[in-house]
Amino acid sequence: MKLYSIETGNFKLDGGGMFGVVPKTIWNKTNPADANNLIDIAARCLLIEDGSRMILIDTGMGNKQSDKFFGYYSLWGTHSLDKSLAKYGFHRNDITDVFLTHLHFDHCGGAVNWNVAKTGYELAFKNATYWTNESHWQWATKPNIREKASFLSENILPIQESGQLHFIKSPETDFTQKSELGFGIYFVDGHTEKMMIPHIQYQDKTICFMADLIPTVGHLPVPYVMGYDTRPLLTMPEKLKFLNNAVQNKYYLFLEHDAHHEIITVENTEKGVRMAAIYSCEEILK
Protein backbone atom coordinates (compact mmCIF):
# COMPACT_ATOMS: atom_id res chain seq x y z
CA MET A 1 0.00 0.00 0.00
CA LYS A 2 1.05 3.58 -0.75
CA LEU A 3 -0.59 6.82 0.36
CA TYR A 4 -0.49 10.21 -1.36
CA SER A 5 -1.62 13.61 -0.14
CA ILE A 6 -3.78 15.26 -2.80
CA GLU A 7 -4.15 19.03 -2.49
CA THR A 8 -7.26 20.12 -4.40
CA GLY A 9 -7.18 23.84 -3.61
CA ASN A 10 -7.29 26.28 -0.70
CA PHE A 11 -10.07 28.64 0.30
CA LYS A 12 -11.20 30.75 3.26
CA LEU A 13 -14.11 30.52 5.68
CA ASP A 14 -15.50 32.80 8.34
CA GLY A 15 -13.58 32.24 11.57
CA GLY A 16 -16.69 32.66 13.69
CA GLY A 17 -18.48 30.00 11.69
CA MET A 18 -15.54 27.65 12.07
CA PHE A 19 -15.36 28.07 15.86
CA GLY A 20 -18.95 28.66 16.90
CA VAL A 21 -19.23 30.11 20.40
CA VAL A 22 -15.45 30.25 21.01
CA PRO A 23 -14.38 33.94 21.20
CA LYS A 24 -12.21 35.30 18.41
CA THR A 25 -9.61 36.43 20.95
CA ILE A 26 -8.97 32.73 21.60
CA TRP A 27 -9.23 31.08 18.17
CA ASN A 28 -7.37 33.89 16.42
CA LYS A 29 -4.19 32.71 18.17
CA THR A 30 -4.18 29.38 16.32
CA ASN A 31 -6.15 30.33 13.19
CA PRO A 32 -5.41 34.02 12.49
CA ALA A 33 -8.10 35.84 10.55
CA ASP A 34 -7.68 38.39 7.79
CA ALA A 35 -9.37 41.80 7.67
CA ASN A 36 -12.63 40.13 6.62
CA ASN A 37 -12.57 37.67 9.53
CA LEU A 38 -11.71 34.82 7.15
CA ILE A 39 -9.27 32.02 8.04
CA ASP A 40 -7.17 29.78 5.80
CA ILE A 41 -8.74 26.43 4.90
CA ALA A 42 -7.37 23.54 2.84
CA ALA A 43 -9.17 20.86 0.87
CA ARG A 44 -6.59 18.12 1.31
CA CYS A 45 -7.63 14.67 0.11
CA LEU A 46 -5.95 11.29 0.45
CA LEU A 47 -5.19 8.77 -2.30
CA ILE A 48 -4.68 5.12 -1.35
CA GLU A 49 -2.88 2.86 -3.83
CA ASP A 50 -3.61 -0.69 -2.71
CA GLY A 51 -2.85 -3.33 -5.31
CA SER A 52 -5.11 -2.68 -8.29
CA ARG A 53 -7.30 -0.26 -6.34
CA MET A 54 -6.82 3.50 -6.33
CA ILE A 55 -9.07 4.93 -3.61
CA LEU A 56 -9.55 8.69 -3.37
CA ILE A 57 -10.96 10.01 -0.08
CA ASP A 58 -12.97 13.19 -0.75
CA THR A 59 -12.57 15.39 -3.81
CA GLY A 60 -12.56 19.06 -2.76
CA MET A 61 -14.91 21.72 -4.15
CA GLY A 62 -14.39 21.06 -7.83
CA ASN A 63 -14.64 23.88 -10.37
CA LYS A 64 -18.13 23.84 -11.82
CA GLN A 65 -19.76 26.49 -9.63
CA SER A 66 -20.13 30.12 -10.70
CA ASP A 67 -17.60 32.87 -10.10
CA LYS A 68 -20.09 34.41 -7.68
CA PHE A 69 -20.21 31.16 -5.67
CA PHE A 70 -16.44 30.85 -5.46
CA GLY A 71 -16.21 34.54 -4.59
CA TYR A 72 -17.77 33.73 -1.23
CA TYR A 73 -14.84 31.41 -0.43
CA SER A 74 -11.83 33.53 -1.51
CA LEU A 75 -9.91 30.79 -3.31
CA TRP A 76 -6.14 31.11 -2.96
CA GLY A 77 -3.00 29.23 -3.94
CA THR A 78 -2.16 27.15 -7.01
CA HIS A 79 -3.22 23.64 -5.95
CA SER A 80 -5.62 21.56 -8.02
CA LEU A 81 -6.73 17.96 -7.97
CA ASP A 82 -5.38 17.22 -11.44
CA LYS A 83 -1.98 18.79 -10.70
CA SER A 84 -1.73 16.86 -7.44
CA LEU A 85 -2.53 13.57 -9.17
CA ALA A 86 -0.06 14.33 -11.96
CA LYS A 87 2.66 15.02 -9.40
CA TYR A 88 2.60 11.30 -8.58
CA GLY A 89 2.09 10.14 -12.16
CA PHE A 90 -1.66 9.57 -11.94
CA HIS A 91 -4.75 10.71 -13.83
CA ARG A 92 -8.33 10.89 -12.63
CA ASN A 93 -9.17 7.96 -14.93
CA ASP A 94 -6.88 5.80 -12.78
CA ILE A 95 -9.16 6.19 -9.76
CA THR A 96 -11.15 3.02 -9.04
CA ASP A 97 -13.02 4.19 -5.92
CA VAL A 98 -14.13 7.57 -4.59
CA PHE A 99 -14.92 7.50 -0.87
CA LEU A 100 -16.90 10.53 0.31
CA THR A 101 -16.73 11.19 4.05
CA HIS A 102 -19.91 13.23 3.65
CA LEU A 103 -21.66 15.17 0.91
CA HIS A 104 -21.09 18.81 1.84
CA PHE A 105 -19.92 20.68 -1.27
CA ASP A 106 -16.33 21.24 -0.13
CA HIS A 107 -15.88 17.48 0.24
CA CYS A 108 -17.70 16.16 -2.82
CA GLY A 109 -17.89 19.03 -5.34
CA GLY A 110 -14.99 17.59 -7.32
CA ALA A 111 -16.81 14.27 -7.74
CA VAL A 112 -18.93 15.64 -10.59
CA ASN A 113 -17.91 17.88 -13.52
CA TRP A 114 -19.62 19.75 -16.31
CA ASN A 115 -19.71 17.74 -19.52
CA VAL A 116 -17.67 19.08 -22.43
CA ALA A 117 -20.56 21.12 -23.83
CA LYS A 118 -21.49 22.45 -20.35
CA THR A 119 -25.05 21.31 -20.93
CA GLY A 120 -25.10 18.79 -18.10
CA TYR A 121 -22.99 16.88 -15.62
CA GLU A 122 -20.78 13.81 -15.72
CA LEU A 123 -18.73 11.92 -13.19
CA ALA A 124 -15.24 13.36 -12.74
CA PHE A 125 -13.88 9.83 -12.19
CA LYS A 126 -15.54 7.82 -14.92
CA ASN A 127 -13.99 4.49 -13.95
CA ALA A 128 -14.69 4.76 -10.23
CA THR A 129 -17.23 3.35 -7.84
CA TYR A 130 -18.53 6.10 -5.56
CA TRP A 131 -19.03 5.30 -1.87
CA THR A 132 -21.19 6.91 0.81
CA ASN A 133 -23.61 5.33 3.29
CA GLU A 134 -27.35 5.05 3.00
CA SER A 135 -28.24 7.04 6.12
CA HIS A 136 -26.12 9.99 5.02
CA TRP A 137 -27.38 9.74 1.44
CA GLN A 138 -30.99 10.05 2.61
CA TRP A 139 -29.99 12.97 4.86
CA ALA A 140 -28.22 14.76 2.00
CA THR A 141 -30.84 14.21 -0.70
CA LYS A 142 -33.67 15.36 1.60
CA PRO A 143 -31.75 18.14 3.38
CA ASN A 144 -32.86 20.10 6.40
CA ILE A 145 -33.13 23.86 6.04
CA ARG A 146 -29.86 24.52 7.85
CA GLU A 147 -27.73 22.27 5.64
CA LYS A 148 -29.54 22.79 2.35
CA ALA A 149 -26.92 25.25 1.10
CA SER A 150 -24.17 22.68 1.69
CA PHE A 151 -25.87 19.77 -0.08
CA LEU A 152 -25.92 20.83 -3.74
CA SER A 153 -27.97 18.55 -5.99
CA GLU A 154 -25.53 18.92 -8.90
CA ASN A 155 -22.80 17.39 -6.72
CA ILE A 156 -24.92 14.48 -5.58
CA LEU A 157 -27.70 13.32 -7.90
CA PRO A 158 -25.49 12.66 -10.97
CA ILE A 159 -23.66 10.02 -8.90
CA GLN A 160 -26.88 8.09 -8.40
CA GLU A 161 -27.96 8.60 -12.00
CA SER A 162 -24.67 7.15 -13.22
CA GLY A 163 -25.31 3.78 -11.59
CA GLN A 164 -21.88 3.98 -9.92
CA LEU A 165 -23.16 4.75 -6.41
CA HIS A 166 -22.55 2.16 -3.69
CA PHE A 167 -23.26 2.25 0.04
CA ILE A 168 -20.87 1.35 2.83
CA LYS A 169 -22.65 -0.96 5.24
CA SER A 170 -23.37 0.86 8.49
CA PRO A 171 -22.21 -1.08 11.58
CA GLU A 172 -24.35 -1.80 14.62
CA THR A 173 -21.94 0.33 16.69
CA ASP A 174 -20.17 3.55 15.71
CA PHE A 175 -17.07 1.76 14.39
CA THR A 176 -16.40 -0.91 11.81
CA GLN A 177 -13.00 -2.57 11.84
CA LYS A 178 -12.95 -3.32 8.13
CA SER A 179 -15.22 -1.74 5.54
CA GLU A 180 -15.79 -2.78 1.94
CA LEU A 181 -12.70 -0.74 1.06
CA GLY A 182 -10.48 -2.50 3.57
CA PHE A 183 -10.10 0.21 6.21
CA GLY A 184 -11.89 0.93 9.48
CA ILE A 185 -14.48 3.69 9.75
CA TYR A 186 -15.67 5.73 12.74
CA PHE A 187 -19.25 6.93 12.12
CA VAL A 188 -20.15 10.26 13.75
CA ASP A 189 -23.37 12.28 13.80
CA GLY A 190 -22.51 15.63 15.36
CA HIS A 191 -21.38 17.48 12.23
CA THR A 192 -23.91 15.82 9.96
CA GLU A 193 -25.67 12.47 9.85
CA LYS A 194 -23.22 9.52 9.61
CA MET A 195 -20.07 11.34 8.55
CA MET A 196 -17.30 8.75 8.11
CA ILE A 197 -13.77 9.00 9.54
CA PRO A 198 -11.48 6.44 7.82
CA HIS A 199 -8.81 4.66 9.90
CA ILE A 200 -6.14 3.36 7.51
CA GLN A 201 -3.47 0.87 8.56
CA TYR A 202 -0.27 1.99 6.83
CA GLN A 203 2.92 0.12 7.64
CA ASP A 204 3.04 0.29 11.46
CA LYS A 205 0.83 3.39 11.69
CA THR A 206 -2.87 4.19 11.84
CA ILE A 207 -3.66 7.22 9.67
CA CYS A 208 -7.03 8.83 10.49
CA PHE A 209 -8.60 11.06 7.87
CA MET A 210 -10.28 13.68 10.03
CA ALA A 211 -12.81 15.27 7.63
CA ASP A 212 -14.85 17.74 9.73
CA LEU A 213 -14.55 16.03 13.12
CA ILE A 214 -11.28 17.90 13.77
CA PRO A 215 -10.84 20.26 10.82
CA THR A 216 -7.73 22.08 12.07
CA VAL A 217 -5.23 21.95 14.94
CA GLY A 218 -7.18 24.81 16.50
CA HIS A 219 -10.17 22.51 16.92
CA LEU A 220 -8.46 19.99 19.21
CA PRO A 221 -10.04 21.28 22.45
CA VAL A 222 -13.26 19.33 22.87
CA PRO A 223 -15.58 22.39 23.25
CA TYR A 224 -14.16 24.04 20.11
CA VAL A 225 -16.96 22.98 17.79
CA MET A 226 -17.86 24.50 14.44
CA GLY A 227 -20.96 26.62 14.11
CA TYR A 228 -21.73 24.47 11.05
CA ASP A 229 -22.27 21.32 13.15
CA THR A 230 -25.90 20.26 13.28
CA ARG A 231 -25.59 18.63 16.72
CA PRO A 232 -22.72 20.35 18.58
CA LEU A 233 -23.54 18.68 21.89
CA LEU A 234 -23.04 15.33 20.15
CA THR A 235 -19.82 16.41 18.43
CA MET A 236 -18.13 16.92 21.79
CA PRO A 237 -18.41 13.34 23.12
CA GLU A 238 -17.56 12.03 19.63
CA LYS A 239 -14.39 14.13 19.62
CA LEU A 240 -13.51 13.12 23.17
CA LYS A 241 -13.88 9.43 22.37
CA PHE A 242 -11.77 9.75 19.25
CA LEU A 243 -9.04 11.82 20.90
CA ASN A 244 -8.71 9.40 23.83
CA ASN A 245 -8.33 6.57 21.32
CA ALA A 246 -5.86 8.64 19.32
CA VAL A 247 -3.61 9.11 22.33
CA GLN A 248 -3.88 5.51 23.46
CA ASN A 249 -3.28 4.04 20.02
CA LYS A 250 -0.84 6.67 18.76
CA TYR A 251 -2.91 7.64 15.75
CA TYR A 252 -1.64 10.01 13.08
CA LEU A 253 -4.29 12.61 12.27
CA PHE A 254 -4.49 13.60 8.60
CA LEU A 255 -6.05 17.08 8.63
CA GLU A 256 -8.22 17.75 5.60
CA HIS A 257 -8.89 21.42 6.31
CA ASP A 258 -5.77 22.72 8.06
CA ALA A 259 -3.87 24.70 5.42
CA HIS A 260 -0.68 24.79 7.50
CA HIS A 261 -0.55 21.41 9.25
CA GLU A 262 -0.85 18.19 7.27
CA ILE A 263 -0.46 15.42 9.85
CA ILE A 264 -0.22 15.59 13.62
CA THR A 265 -0.06 13.33 16.64
CA VAL A 266 -1.67 14.13 19.99
CA GLU A 267 -0.93 13.66 23.68
CA ASN A 268 -2.57 14.17 27.05
CA THR A 269 -1.77 17.45 28.80
CA GLU A 270 -3.14 19.21 31.88
CA LYS A 271 -5.45 21.12 29.50
CA GLY A 272 -6.70 17.99 27.76
CA VAL A 273 -5.60 16.32 24.54
CA ARG A 274 -3.35 18.61 22.52
CA MET A 275 -0.95 18.40 19.58
CA ALA A 276 2.25 16.48 20.26
CA ALA A 277 4.10 16.64 16.94
CA ILE A 278 3.65 17.94 13.39
CA TYR A 279 4.61 16.01 10.28
CA SER A 280 4.64 16.69 6.59
CA CYS A 281 2.87 14.10 4.51
CA GLU A 282 6.15 13.17 2.84
CA GLU A 283 7.67 12.30 6.22
CA ILE A 284 4.85 9.92 7.12
CA LEU A 285 3.52 8.70 3.79
CA LYS A 286 6.72 7.43 2.18
Side-chain angles (χ1 to χ4, degrees):
M1 177 189 288
K2 295 182 180 179
L3 303 182
Y4 308 92
S5 176
I6 303 298
E7 299 278 3
T8 68
N10 297 327
F11 58 106
K12 290 178 179 285
L13 285 176
D14 182 81
M18 284 298 290
F19 283 92
V21 299
V22 180
K24 180 179 180 179
T25 53
I26 295 176
W27 59 254
N28 199 54
K29 296 175 183 177
T30 57
N31 298 72
D34 65 13
N36 294 314
N37 210 50
L38 302 177
I39 64 173
D40 292 348
I41 298 292
R44 183 180 298 113
C45 304
L46 183 62
L47 178 62
I48 305 171
E49 182 180 13
D50 190 7
S52 62
R53 295 187 95 161
M54 298 285 289
I55 304 166
L56 181 64
I57 300 179
D58 282 354
T59 66
M61 282 191 185
N63 56 15
K64 63 183 178 296
Q65 305 301 329
S66 67
D67 290 341
K68 180 180 179 181
F69 177 92
F70 287 123
Y72 296 135
Y73 300 101
S74 301
L75 306 186
W76 60 279
T78 60
H79 295 309
S80 75
L81 190 150
D82 286 319
K83 286 196 293 186
S84 290
L85 288 175
K87 174 182 175 181
Y88 302 110
F90 302 126
H91 184 274
R92 62 178 62 228
N93 291 346
D94 298 322
I95 305 301
T96 63
D97 299 89
V98 175
F99 179 93
L100 299 169
T101 60
H102 61 300
L103 295 169
H104 287 167
F105 69 85
D106 55 320
H107 295 259
C108 75
V112 175
N113 284 344
W114 283 108
N115 60 21
V116 174
K118 288 197 171 184
T119 57
Y121 304 107
E122 62 184 14
L123 296 193
F125 306 93
K126 64 180 183 181
N127 298 319
T129 298
Y130 283 64
W131 297 89
T132 181
N133 66 77
E134 189 167 9
S135 293
H136 183 65
W137 180 264
Q138 294 300 324
W139 184 269
T141 53
K142 299 174 183 177
N144 59 74
I145 294 175
R146 182 173 180 180
E147 283 185 281
K148 189 174 182 179
S150 293
F151 292 128
L152 306 181
S153 60
E154 61 267 31
N155 290 335
I156 299 172
L157 297 184
I159 302 174
Q160 183 179 47
E161 293 163 0
S162 74
Q164 292 169 234
L165 174 66
H166 287 245
F167 292 134
I168 295 286
K169 183 179 179 181
S170 297
E172 294 181 1
T173 63
D174 59 12
F175 188 79
T176 180
Q177 290 284 350
K178 192 172 184 180
S179 68
E180 291 87 335
L181 292 174
F183 47 74
I185 300 172
Y186 180 35
F187 289 78
V188 293
D189 297 307
H191 180 61
T192 188
E193 179 76 9
K194 292 292 178 290
M195 181 171 70
M196 299 185 286
I197 307 298
H199 288 48
I200 300 136
Q201 296 302 313
Y202 178 70
Q203 298 176 3
D204 60 343
K205 304 176 181 70
T206 299
I207 311 293
C208 299
F209 187 90
M210 295 316 305
D212 281 337
L213 181 62
I214 301 174
T216 75
V217 167
H219 290 87
L220 282 172
V222 171
Y224 291 24
V225 175
M226 290 190 292
Y228 305 115
D229 285 16
T230 60
R231 307 178 182 109
L233 294 179
L234 185 53
T235 297
M236 288 189 282
E238 290 173 341
K239 281 177 64 176
L240 181 61
K241 179 177 180 178
F242 173 83
L243 288 170
N244 287 336
N245 286 335
V247 171
Q248 181 178 353
N249 296 296
K250 300 180 179 178
Y251 293 161
Y252 290 78
L253 280 54
F254 186 100
L255 301 176
E256 182 169 14
H257 281 321
D258 194 316
H260 307 292
H261 303 85
E262 293 180 314
I263 295 176
I264 64 169
T265 54
V266 291
E267 63 184 357
N268 282 318
T269 73
E270 60 182 14
K271 293 184 178 181
V273 177
R274 295 292 187 271
M275 182 173 64
I278 307 167
Y279 299 91
S280 71
C281 291
E282 291 184 356
E283 289 177 296
I284 299 298
L285 306 181
K286 53 184 176 180

